[in-house]
């Protein structure tokens, strides 16, 4: 479970650093992720966490910060076992550094 959390965090960072590259696909990713919360074979705790991140992503996107919203959405996708878009994976493999407090556990939405 820890490895999946780290992988989801790395992929979320990739989306955060991608800027507008994912802006056009946010709605389709959101719909796909919401559908996966019903069909994915994951533990209930992971499903609940993914739902929380989906809600946060929608809220942040509503405020106009789609790059950050995609980070939260991608974290949810990782928890559900979904693969992010190829460019997010490429950026994650580029070796960008991140702080885990940017993704979860801080109790605040930056």
């Amino acid at each position: 479970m820890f490895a999946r959390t780290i992988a989801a965090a790395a992929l979320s960072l990739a989306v955060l650093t991608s800027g507008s590259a994912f802006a056009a696909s946010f709605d389709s990713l959101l719909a796909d992720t919401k559908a996966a919360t019903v069909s994915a074979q994951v533990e209930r705790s992971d499903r609940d966490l993914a739902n929380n991140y989906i809600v946060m992503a929608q809220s942040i996107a509503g405020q106009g910060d789609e790059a950050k919203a995609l980070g939260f959405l991608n974290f949810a996708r990782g928890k559900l076992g979904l693969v992010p878009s190829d460019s997010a994976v490429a950026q994650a493999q580029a070796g960008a550094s991140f702080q885990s407090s940017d993704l979860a556990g801080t109790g605040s939405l930056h």
Side-chain angles (χ1 to χ4, degrees):
M1 177 120 89
F2 181 74
R4 286 194 324 190
T5 302
I6 295 299
L11 294 174
S12 294
L13 173 70
V15 172
L16 283 172
T17 60
S18 69
S20 62
F22 292 101
S25 64
F26 180 80
D27 291 333
S28 63
L29 285 173
L30 181 62
D32 183 43
T33 307
K34 282 183 175 182
T37 61
V38 176
S39 62
Q41 298 294 319
V42 296
E43 295 178 18
R44 183 179 183 151
S45 60
D46 287 338
R47 185 183 319 275
D48 291 343
L49 184 59
N51 279 322
N52 289 337
Y53 272 79
I54 289 168
V55 170
M56 288 187 284
Q58 284 181 293
S59 176
I60 293 168
Q63 296 171 12
D65 192 352
E66 282 194 355
K68 190 171 187 178
L70 284 166
F72 283 93
L73 186 60
N74 217 33
F75 185 86
R77 291 177 62 79
K79 285 305 222 181
L80 295 169
L82 299 175
V83 178
S85 67
D86 292 337
S87 54
V89 172
Q91 287 185 6
Q93 292 171 348
S97 64
F98 67 97
Q99 297 178 356
S100 60
S101 63
D102 290 339
L103 300 173
T106 62
S108 65
L109 299 175
H110 309 268

